[in-house]
């Protein structure tokens, strides 16, 4: 043996084995076995011991080599551990193995290495939940990964991109797998996913949508606008917008009013006036003296006119005796011929002056009489009769009659308009309801010469009938049959008299009318309820009533004097008092209540409020029409108001005129019939608030009298300028008919008209014909507000010889259907409605699409109300249904959806959905009532 060998053996014999590599913990993935390695020096033998038992020598793989520097032997041993071995072990601890190495000096043991089967379960113990947080708020997304061996590591993804807390100090992902964003920013909105992974698998949690919203804030108020009148009491306003900041991503809308109004007074122009003349100056060398005056009594202000006339006055200060050529004028000799000529001039001048004075007086008297004849000399105070409810909507059959109005006349902006409110439903055969022919047939084509109003103004053989105001009666009470031959019969020529209607007669006229109330039974499918001829309807959306539940709903119009007005006396009633119930009704979404009104809403001269009656019969303010409110929604159209309400009760619109430019619409109509003596013809003119239900009472009264409509009703705008209303009759054929002198014009005071509370005002004219052969009557009836608008009712009629031949008229056939339930009550089929709601109610990172839907449907005010609803889109569609209940065409809705699809063209899914919905919507009345099943089939 060499020296080197001897030294090496000596070293080996004096050293215990030292492990250069110990077995590591291992995980068995699926069915793949793992290798455990062990290496030591110096080592004669190395064996593995697993779970306290020696591993058989045949299962070991050994490698041996000598270290060059020391000559020591290094031994390396490996074994394989299979999945089956680990699964078959059932010890109190995990499967383990260690190495034992031998040398001449002794043995050494390695560390224990555990062997476990790796796995990762599918379900997360806790998944992150979507949330909406305000800007600068804290976002905490919790995540507990699935159970696994080894334990899963967690990462976060935002919109499929890895979130790193190292790059963004505002984000912390170290706290127990949770994602924490300390201060939320708009850019933090997105879809977050928790990602768990180990050596076996990778698991994804459900996506959590985080929306960072911004609550709206009011901007500063703008400066007050200029007063809207140049002189007197007016209104000014200032506005603010919900843009500081603007609400984003479904943030709350600003609470409060966006517009403030205040009364203002503009100084009226003051015309200048002359002050007193100064004293005369000292006589000058030219024999003149002067005096002056100033335009200071008062001074012209605010654009007023300057004083008319001269500020300087001169006069001869010597009485025309001024020195001429150093001689006084009276010393100058005047020839005799010149003296006589001067006397003649003075005489003729005096005569001419007297003649001119007489002519001026005659002209003045003539103009005065003519002016008073036209504007109120023959004025009789007429009074208001209590009037009635229910509306009438005239058809256009008479428009082709050339005698109604001259086609060359300029169009009148105040002419009558057809009501757009609901009248009644078509019956099952969908036949058009046609009025009975007696009164509303086209007027006969008479060609009667119309005399000028100058003959009327002379008051020759003219007669009138006057109806005095009856004491306050409960309104309305219906009607009875003929009363005294039309209220004030004239016994014969020369015996005309004013015949007031007695209170008892008025009371009897107002009885026997059917109550303005309708009801129906509704369930989960919803429906529509209509008060016939009243401009009032109730829309119950689908799903507003719980399933397997039915309610008997009713809508009624109060028929008593209004109690909704305040004691201050500045408010007037602009709509009927409408009640819907029953009181204990529970709804899951608002109903749409449509009510007609008579306010002129084309300008901002009104302060209109919605009031509700409380249990103690008092009235409380719900909201103003311009107010932002979350308890109620009010959409004011030209002729009706659409309310979204949930609480049953009695509602009414009241208004306060802010300026004299505020106006309300009056409906004017003229009726006539022969009196029992067959010589006198009675013409009655009615003025009533322009609402469907109010005019119906007039129709009921005239039906009982057998009256005929002489001209289609027209609309007059009545301003709040405190001037009265005058009704005059003109152009009566002078040699055929007569009327009592000085009764051609009758007048209603401003308060009678302005505060009429829907009670009809009536004035009557009694005409007497000279001969029974005169069977044609033509005249004009002028209804005008002093310093305001005017309307002309043109009368052409043929007088019936026998009143029994006159068939009483009806406004239209009685409605046979006042309620509809289910899909036929709605314009939008249920399947399309549900798809629209599902599309627009879904939240996304850019906000809620229902806001864009409201904007395209021109419902862009008080959006905070819809934001509080469970399904904003459904409530918006209900409001659209109420607006378009008379128009069955759904083209406007389809067009709005097409526009929205263009706006959101970047989101292909929503675009495809909107395109499919807009193409599925029927575009004509013939397809409007197809069921949703048919629409789905066609779409498929």
């Amino acid at each position: 043996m060499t020296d080197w060998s001897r030294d090496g053996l000596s070293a080996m014999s004096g050293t215990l084995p030292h492990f250069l590599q110990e077995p590591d913990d291992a995980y068995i993935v699926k069915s793949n076995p793992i290798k455990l390695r062990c290496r030591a020096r110096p080592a004669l033998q190395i064996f593995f011991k697993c779970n306290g038992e020696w591993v058989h020598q045949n299962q070991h793989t050994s490698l041996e080599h000598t270290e060059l520097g020391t000559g020591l032997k290094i031994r390396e041993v490996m074994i394989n551990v299979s999945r089956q071995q680990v699964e078959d072990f059932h010890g109190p601890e995990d499967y383990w193995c260690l190495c034992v190495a031998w040398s001449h000096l002794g043995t050494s043991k390695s560390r224990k290495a555990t062997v476990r089967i790796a796995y990762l379960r599918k379900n997360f113990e806790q998944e992150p939940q979507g949330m909406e947080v305000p800007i600068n708020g804290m976002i905490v997304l919790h995540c507990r990964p699935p159970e696994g061996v080894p334990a899963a590591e967690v990462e976060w993804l935002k919109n499929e991109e890895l979130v790193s807390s190292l790059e963004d100090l505002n984000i912390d992902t170290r706290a127990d797998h949770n994602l924490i964003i300390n201060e939320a920013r708009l850019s933090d909105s997105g879809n977050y996913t928790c990602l768990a992974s180990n050596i076996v698998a990778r698991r994804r949690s459900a996506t959590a949508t985080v929306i960072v919203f911004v609550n709206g804030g009011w901007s500063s108020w703008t400066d007050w606008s200029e007063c809207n009148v140049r002189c007197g009491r007016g209104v000014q306003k200032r506005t603010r917008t919900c843009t500081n900041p603007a609400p984003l991503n479904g943030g709350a809308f600003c609470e409060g009013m966006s517009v403030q109004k205040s009364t203002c007074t503009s100084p009226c122009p003051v015309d200048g006036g002359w002050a007193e003349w100064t004293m005369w100056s000292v006589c000058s060398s030219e024999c003149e003296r002067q005096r002056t005056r100033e335009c200071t009594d008062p001074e012209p202000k605010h654009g007023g006119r300057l004083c008319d006339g001269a500020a300087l006055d001169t006069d001869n200060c010597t009485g025309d005796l001024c020195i001429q050529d150093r001689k006084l004028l009276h010393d100058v000799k005047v020839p005799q011929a010149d003296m006589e000529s001067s006397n003649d001039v003075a005489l003729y001048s005096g005569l001419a002056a007297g003649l001119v004075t007489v002519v001026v007086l005659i002209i003045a008297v003539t103009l005065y009489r003519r002016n008073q004849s036209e504007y109120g000399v023959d004025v009789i105070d007429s009074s208001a009769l209590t009037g009635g409810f229910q509306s009438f909507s005239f058809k256009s059959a008479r428009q082709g009659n050339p005698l109604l109005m001259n086609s060359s006349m300029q169009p009148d902006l105040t002419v009558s308009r057809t009501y757009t409110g609901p009248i009644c439903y078509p019956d099952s055969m969908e036949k058009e309801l046609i009025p009975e022919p007696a009164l509303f047939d086209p007027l006969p084509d008479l060609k009667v010469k119309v005399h000028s109003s100058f003959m009327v103004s002379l008051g020759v053989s003219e007669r009138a009938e006057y109806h005095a105001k009856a004491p306050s009666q409960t309104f309305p009470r219906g009607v009875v049959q003929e009363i005294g031959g039309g209220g004030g019969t004239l016994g014969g020529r020369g015996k005309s008299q004013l015949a007031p209607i007695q209170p008892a007669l008025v009371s009897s006229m107002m009885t026997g009318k059917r109550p303005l109330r309708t009801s129906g039974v509704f369930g989960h499918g919803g429906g529509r309820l209509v008060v016939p001829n009243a401009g009032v309807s109730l829309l119950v959306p689908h799903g507003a009533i719980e399933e397997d539940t039915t309610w008997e709903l009713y809508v009624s119009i109060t028929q008593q004097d209004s109690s909704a007005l305040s004691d201050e006396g500045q408010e007037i009633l602009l709509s009927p008092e409408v009640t819907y119930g029953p009181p204990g009704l529970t709804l899951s979404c608002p109903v749409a209540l449509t009510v007609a009104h008579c306010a002129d809403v084309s300008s901002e001269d009104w302060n209109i409020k919605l009031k509700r009656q409380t249990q103690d019969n008092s009235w409380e303010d719900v909201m103003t029409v311009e107010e932002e409110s979350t308890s109620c929604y009010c959409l004011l159209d030209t002729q009706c108001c659409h309310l979204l309400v949930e609480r049953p009760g009695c509602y009414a619109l009241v208004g306060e005129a802010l300026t004299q430019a505020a106006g309300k619409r009056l409906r004017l109509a003229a009726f006539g019939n022969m009196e029992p003596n067959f010589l006198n013809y009675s013409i009655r003119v009615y003025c009533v608030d322009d609402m469907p239900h109010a005019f119906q009472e007039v129709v009921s009264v005239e039906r009982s009298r057998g009256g005929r409509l002489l001209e289609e009703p027209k609309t007059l705008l009545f301003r709040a300028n405190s001037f009265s209303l005058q009704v005059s009759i003109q152009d009566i054929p002078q040699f055929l008919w007569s009327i009592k002198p000085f009764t051609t014009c009758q007048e209603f005071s401003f308060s009678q008209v302005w505060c009429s509370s829907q009670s009809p005002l009536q004035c009557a004219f009694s005409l007497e014909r000279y001969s029974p052969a005169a069977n044609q009557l033509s005249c004009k009836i002028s209804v005008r507000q002093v310093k305001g608008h005017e309307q002309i009712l043109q009368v052409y009629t043929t007088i019936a010889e026998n009143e029994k031949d006159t068939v009483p008229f009806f406004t239209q056939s009685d409605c046979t259907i006042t309620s509809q339930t289910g899909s036929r009550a709605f314009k939008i089929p249920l399947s399309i409605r549900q798809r629209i709601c599902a599309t627009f109610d879904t939240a996304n990172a850019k906000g809620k699409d229902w806001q864009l839907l409201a904007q395209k449907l021109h419902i862009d005010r008080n959006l905070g109300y819809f934001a509080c609803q469970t399904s904003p889109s459904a409530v918006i569609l209900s409001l659209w249904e109420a607006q378009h209940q008379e128009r069955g065409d759904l083209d406007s809705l389809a067009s709005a959806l097409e526009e929205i699809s263009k706006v959101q063209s970047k989101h292909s899914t929503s675009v495809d959905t909107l395109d499919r919905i807009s193409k599925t919507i029927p575009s004509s009345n013939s397809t409007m009532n197809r069921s949703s099943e048919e629409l789905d089939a066609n779409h498929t």
Side-chain angles (χ1 to χ4, degrees), residues 289-307:
R289 58 179 180 175
Q290 296 180 347
R291 61 177 181 176
T292 59
R293 56 180 179 176
E294 295 180 351
C295 189
T296 58
D297 190 20
E299 293 183 359
K301 296 180 181 179
H302 314 304
R305 293 179 301 176
L306 298 175
C307 300

Side-chain angles (χ1 to χ4, degrees), residues 477-480 483 503-512:
R477 298 295 188 185
V479 297
V480 295
I483 302 174
L505 298 180
V506 175
S507 177
S508 65
M509 290 165 58
M510 301 301 169
T511 59

Side-chain angles (χ1 to χ4, degrees), residues 25 52 66 71 81 121 128-129 243 412 474 487 610 632 704 719 737 744 833 860 920 939:
D25 295 337
T66 302
V81 180
R121 300 192 183 279
Q129 301 295 321
T243 56
D412 190 347
T474 302
L610 175 65
C632 183
S704 67
R719 298 288 189 187
W737 296 85
T744 59
R833 178 186 179 94
D860 51 3
T920 309
H939 176 64

Side-chain angles (χ1 to χ4, degrees), residues 746-789:
Q746 303 184 38
E747 185 174 16
F748 298 107
S749 66
F750 172 79
S751 60
Q752 282 181 293
V753 182
W754 190 250
C755 305
S756 60
S757 297
Q758 307 162 35
S759 300
L761 305 176
Q762 176 196 353
C763 65
F765 302 95
S766 184
L767 282 68
E768 183 178 359
R769 55 181 174 178
Y770 290 103
S771 170
N775 62 350
Q776 293 180 347
L777 174 62
S778 65
C779 62
K780 292 181 181 179
I781 297 175
S782 170
V783 183
R784 64 181 293 271
Q785 184 183 18
V786 178
K787 296 187 179 181
H789 293 271

